[in-house]
Amino acid sequence: LKWTLAEVQKYIDDNNVPQNSLHKKGFISIGCAPCTRAIVEGEDIRAGRWSWESSHKECGLHSPLAPKGGINEVKN
């Protein structure tokens, strides 16, 4: 929990841990396609998630209200 991002990357590189190819393209925090963008140097690692919103949100994939099957819309 106390590793820096650089320490995590060093461990990945040193131990040949498979990594999502999007990480090297600036997608540090990866969610679903419409909710994720690459970040630029100096931005917080979560800046690419829900970047257009002012509040901290998730797309619903992690919501206890999300229906089974991966659909991220909750129907009333």
Side-chain angles (χ1 to χ4, degrees):
L1 290 173
K2 294 183 180 184
W3 284 11
T4 65
L5 189 56
E7 289 171 318
V8 171
Q9 189 61 56
K10 181 176 179 351
Y11 181 88
I12 288 170
D13 295 341
D14 290 350
N15 294 283
N16 297 317
V17 176
Q19 185 179 20
N20 187 318
S21 62
L22 291 173
H23 285 286
K24 298 226 186 245
K25 296 178 182 178
F27 291 84
I28 305 303
S29 179
I30 300 171
C32 63
C35 300
T36 307
R37 70 163 173 81
I39 63 170
V40 296
E41 188 173 335
E43 280 189 301
D44 182 88
I45 62 171
R46 300 267 306 157
R49 300 291 301 279
W50 282 83
S51 57
W52 61 91
E53 292 282 347
S54 60
S55 61
H56 297 287
K57 291 186 175 181
E58 292 291 340
C59 64
L61 293 174
H62 310 292
S63 171
L65 299 176
K68 291 182 180 181
I71 299 171
N72 63 358
E73 295 180 16
V74 177
K75 297 184 181 188
N76 295 328

